[in-house]
Amino acid sequence: MTRKQKKMLLRILIAAALMILFGFLPIEGWVRFGAYMIPYLVVGWDILLGAAMGIRNKQVFDENFLMAVATIGAMAIAIYEDGDYTEAIAVMLFYQIGEAFENYAVGKSRKSITQLMNIRPDSANLKTDEGIVQVRPSKVKPGNIIVIKPGEKVPLDGVVIEGTSSLDTAALTGESMPRDVEVGDEILSGCVNINGLLTVEVTKRFGESTVNKILDMVENAIIKKAKTENFITRFAVVYTPIVVAAAAILAIVPPLVIDGATWSDWIYRALNFLVVSCPCALVISVPLSFFGGIGGASRIGVLVKGSNYLEAMSGVK
């Protein structure tokens, strides 16, 4: 668990504990309101800030805006009717708990992908007139000669010009059986030299090497969105303003046209409608499921280049 996740967990626990505590204290009026504002701000200040920043940047309609409007409205109704403030706090609490689970899942996936990054070599043994010099792979140019000792990772793509050995290619291909190489054979970066000393002529720069390309693909995997993700993104942009407009109509029209309808009841219903209709479940869960899938695959050594490829596999028979 990261430091940020620990802070969020602490905020959730503090807010929940204060909300329960204030329920047993004999406090009334504005003192009661001020007391309940403490757990509300403890758990929800970042949501309110996010909503304010969205309004300032003219990107109003997101889940932060919906949560802010709904909970502030619930607080306002509680003040007007001297009612229960815990509903607004509970909405924020449940939302933040959901966000915490999401961040934990993403963190686990990122950790799995990061562990996979260990296939990138840290150094290369460059052969020079003065002898063998250990340099960073990015300093080696095509045509340079490198030496790969037993147990070392192959730092760059090249052709064997001296020696024979067996290579562990599992990190690249998933193949458990070693591959034998000799003079004239091409070898790829990211493999592990098992038992022989190899002298290799480099054929590609580090940025163009196989291992670097693979890692770039995995690191940028989430950019390549599946059709489902693209649809959800477009859907949320249209759906959220419609929900806000519908909530406004629900709050304003019934008290004007229905005899006996009270403003507080219908505003309260409109706020409930906002919370229930918040698209965060769709907007969060769909990308999260793909990202979790990519991270889960990385944990067992399977490289997925993007969620579009993950989605394509659902059609495999």
Side-chain angles (χ1 to χ4, degrees):
M1 189 177 286
T2 65
R3 187 176 178 183
K4 185 178 179 181
Q5 289 170 338
K6 288 178 181 177
K7 281 185 177 180
M8 176 51 70
L9 179 60
L10 184 62
R11 284 172 56 193
I12 290 170
L13 292 174
I14 289 173
L18 288 175
M19 183 179 71
I20 294 169
L21 173 65
F22 293 148
F24 291 100
L25 296 179
I27 48 178
E28 299 293 337
W30 289 105
V31 175
R32 186 164 173 262
F33 167 73
Y36 276 104
M37 279 299 292
I38 297 171
Y40 175 75
L41 292 175
V42 166
V43 77
W45 66 266
D46 51 338
I47 304 296
L48 300 176
L49 181 62
M53 294 296 290
I55 293 169
R56 194 183 76 172
N57 297 329
K58 298 179 181 178
Q59 295 177 338
V60 178
F61 299 109
D62 60 8
E63 58 266 25
N64 289 333
F65 175 77
L66 295 182
M67 295 300 298
V69 170
T71 54
I72 290 172
M75 279 285 189
I77 289 174
I79 294 171
Y80 177 74
E81 296 185 343
D82 195 24
D84 193 356
Y85 297 104
T86 57
E87 288 192 13
I89 302 168
V91 168
M92 279 291 192
L93 268 174
F94 287 126
Y95 180 78
Q96 291 287 36
I97 289 169
E99 288 282 292
F101 277 117
E102 178 207 353
N103 291 332
Y104 179 74
V106 170
K108 289 274 287 183
S109 295
R110 288 196 186 280
K111 187 177 179 182
S112 298
I113 294 171
T114 302
Q115 288 173 347
L116 198 63
M117 301 297 117
N118 289 333
I119 65 174
R120 177 181 282 145
D122 297 322
S123 62
N125 300 315
L126 180 63
K127 195 171 185 179
T128 66
D129 295 336
E130 290 78 28
I132 304 297
V133 181
Q134 202 169 68
V135 297
R136 294 163 75 178
S138 57
K139 300 291 184 182
V140 181
K141 300 176 182 177
N144 287 163
I145 306 299
I146 60 173
V147 174
I148 306 168
K149 300 173 184 177
E152 289 184 340
K153 294 171 187 171
V154 178
L156 298 130
D157 294 359
V159 177
V160 178
I161 59 173
E162 187 180 327
T164 59
S165 184
S166 296
L167 298 180
D168 178 358
T169 63
L172 300 184
T173 65
E175 177 58 59
S176 58
M177 290 292 290
R179 180 170 74 90
D180 294 332
V181 292
E182 56 186 20
V183 175
D185 288 342
E186 183 182 9
I187 63 173
L188 303 176
S189 55
C191 299
V192 177
N193 183 20
I194 298 176
N195 49 29
L197 185 69
L198 294 174
T199 304
V200 176
E201 182 180 345
V202 176
T203 56
K204 293 180 182 177
R205 294 180 180 275
F206 180 65
E208 300 170 349
S209 65
T210 301
V211 67
N212 216 52
K213 287 180 179 178
I214 287 175
L215 295 180
D216 284 343
M217 286 178 190
V218 177
E219 286 170 342
N220 298 313
I222 206 65
I223 295 172
K224 298 178 182 177
K225 291 188 176 182
K227 290 181 181 178
T228 308
E229 287 184 279
N230 288 325
F231 168 75
I232 292 300
T233 303
R234 294 194 303 270
F235 173 79
V237 170
V238 177
Y239 171 83
T240 309
I242 291 173
V243 165
V244 174
I249 293 169
L250 188 63
I252 296 169
V253 174
L256 296 177
V257 300
I258 300 174
D259 291 336
T262 61
W263 285 97
S264 59
D265 284 346
W266 284 98
I267 290 173
Y268 188 75
R269 287 169 184 166
L271 294 173
N272 281 335
F273 175 76
L274 271 182
V275 174
V276 171
S277 303
C278 182
C280 56
L282 275 176
V283 175
I284 291 171
S285 63
V286 174
L288 178 60
S289 62
F290 281 111
F291 193 80
I294 293 169
S298 300
R299 197 176 302 124
I300 58 174
V302 178
L303 302 171
V304 182
K305 294 195 292 182
S307 52
N308 51 337
Y309 297 100
L310 202 62
E311 186 177 53
M313 288 191 68
S314 64
V316 174
K317 298 180 181 177

